[in-house]
Amino acid sequence: MTVTTPQPRATVPAPSPSLRPRAHEAAQDTGWLELTDAVREAGQYTTRAEAERVTRIVLSALGGHVTGDERVELAQSLPREAGRVIASQIPATHPLTAREFVESVATRIEGSTPATARWDVSSVLSVLSDHIGESLTNRLLAQLPPGYALLFGRADLAPTA
């Protein structure tokens, strides 16, 4: 008869399932940092925090005015944090003109005037336009009232009568 002595089990720790999400989140954070760094450069903001604050405010204002498939595609084409800001907004009950949009942003930024708010909005939306591409930008502009093209850094060409 053979007698075996129980041997201690060697356990090999399984890879932590949280490593992959962290890597994915880090990539998403990098996307957010790249977006806000581009806004910082375009708007000539002195700090990253200022560029992030302005980006959040403008994206949240825009999120209420973009609907349907364009809203979904916009949120998906942006870094996770930016997409979350867009998607978390309740759709507006009536569309704002470009001027009203800028004025609404001005009320959200402490010490802002319509002129500085226009600068902030244009800084964010022109970077956004570069990030999402021409096709989606054109579809967003078709959905918004006239006048937004300039805010996205585009010529606002009106058809001749």
Side-chain angles (χ1 to χ4, degrees), residues 108-128:
R108 299 177 188 198
I109 300 175
E110 186 178 332
S112 185
T113 66
T116 59
R118 181 173 167 71
W119 177 267
D120 294 334
V121 169
S122 293
S123 297
V124 173
L125 295 184
S126 63
V127 167
L128 181 76

Side-chain angles (χ1 to χ4, degrees), residues 11-104:
T11 57
V12 177
S16 171
S18 64
L19 290 179
R20 280 190 169 224
R22 283 186 190 159
H24 182 67
E25 287 173 16
Q28 289 295 327
D29 289 344
T30 300
W32 171 251
L33 292 176
E34 288 172 358
L35 181 69
T36 56
D37 280 346
V39 169
R40 181 179 178 186
E41 185 176 320
Q44 300 176 350
Y45 299 107
T46 55
T47 66
R48 173 178 279 148
E50 183 180 13
E52 285 188 18
R53 181 176 55 82
V54 167
T55 302
R56 284 182 193 284
I57 290 169
V58 173
L59 290 180
S60 69
L62 181 65
H65 294 284
V66 177
T67 60
D69 291 341
E70 287 76 17
R71 178 184 170 116
V72 172
E73 190 173 338
L74 175 61
Q76 290 176 343
S77 67
L78 295 172
R80 180 182 295 169
E81 184 60 26
R84 206 179 335 221
V85 172
I86 293 283
S88 68
Q89 302 309 305
I90 297 170
T93 56
H94 74 283
L96 297 178
T97 65
R99 181 181 190 157
E100 292 168 333
F101 181 81
V102 168
E103 290 170 354
S104 76

